[in-house]
Each structure stands twice: as structure tokens, then as C-alpha cells.
Amino acid sequence: MKAKILSFAILLFVITSAFAARIHFVGTPCLDTETGWITGKVAGLGTNPNGLTISISGRYGCDNPADKRPPSWNNLTISDIPLKSDGAGNYTFEVNIFNYIPRDCPNAQWDMTFDLTATVSSTNISKHIDTDCN
């Protein structure tokens, strides 16, 4: 009986690992710093993402004109961003961070800077979000 339970546990682990290993980001998620839109694409979920969502986490702040980063950086977490099927086995996501954070720095001389990561929920699959979308 113990051997059957152990065999089942190993099989379950292998199946789960194989499923998780297929999930991946297609390209690099990107933040358009002018509009605030973060967009990205995930693949390897099959035809049903089983309730998986995207989370965005990291920090943001304003760099002053001397390119110094003041210690007042803020943490940001946005959870449960839905995945939308593109009909070709890929799932896209988008969220506007300006719905969650202030849009402006103290003045036009300061630049808003971001250090953010996108993560597929219930997995350890994550990728840094790029701010150079070209």
C-alpha cells in the first residue's frame, strides 16, 4: 500500500512539474511609461489556464534631476490580473499602473522610474518588466 501511495505521489509530482515547466512568458512584459500600460503574453497553459492570473510587484519612484534616486521609493503589488486567450494558445494580460499609483513626480524635471516583475500566479514563473517597449 505504501508503495502505491509513493508511486502516485511521484507521478503527481512529475505531471505537475511537467505542466509547470511548459508555462513561459512570450517575449518580455513591457511598461509604457507614458501611458502606464503594462502588457505581456504567457504560453504553455493549454486550452484552460485553470484560474491562473498575473501579479505585478516591485517598486517605483521619482529620480531627481541629478539622476539620484531618493530613498522614498514605494512598493507596488497588483494581483489577480486576468489572462485573456488570443485563440492561438497564448494568453495576454494588460493593466494600467496609473490606476494604482500617482502619475506625476514633484515636477517635470523628475523622472518616474520603475523596477517591476510579472509573475504567473501559483507558480514560480516570473519575468522582469521592461520599460523600453520598442
Side-chain angles (χ1 to χ4, degrees):
M1 181 67 172
K2 287 182 184 180
K4 286 183 182 180
I5 292 172
L6 181 59
S7 295
F8 178 75
I10 291 171
L11 178 62
L12 185 60
F13 175 77
V14 168
I15 290 171
T16 304
S17 297
F19 176 73
R22 292 189 344 238
I23 299 172
H24 62 279
F25 284 91
V26 177
T28 301
C30 192
L31 165 61
D32 182 326
T33 57
E34 295 297 317
T35 65
W37 283 102
I38 296 174
T39 57
K41 187 184 290 189
V42 179
L45 302 173
T47 58
N48 183 359
N50 296 319
L52 293 178
T53 60
I54 297 292
S55 295
I56 305 292
S57 61
R59 299 175 349 127
Y60 70 94
C62 294
D63 287 353
N64 65 31
D67 269 343
K68 300 292 183 196
R69 186 165 291 157
S72 62
W73 267 48
N74 300 292
N75 292 324
L76 172 67
T77 301
I78 306 170
S79 301
D80 300 325
I81 302 165
L83 292 167
K84 299 173 194 140
S85 175
D86 69 0
N90 298 309
Y91 291 84
T92 60
F93 63 91
E94 64 181 12
V95 65
N96 192 304
I97 60 167
F98 293 140
N99 292 333
Y100 300 88
I101 65 171
R103 184 178 199 122
D104 299 317
C105 290
N107 62 54
Q109 304 267 331
W110 293 55
D111 293 318
M112 190 166 270
T113 308
F114 302 90
D115 183 15
L116 302 171
T117 300
T119 303
V120 179
S121 64
S122 303
T123 74
N124 62 355
I125 310 298
S126 63
K127 194 150 194 183
H128 188 264
I129 297 172
D130 198 349
T131 56
D132 182 10
C133 300
N134 297 323

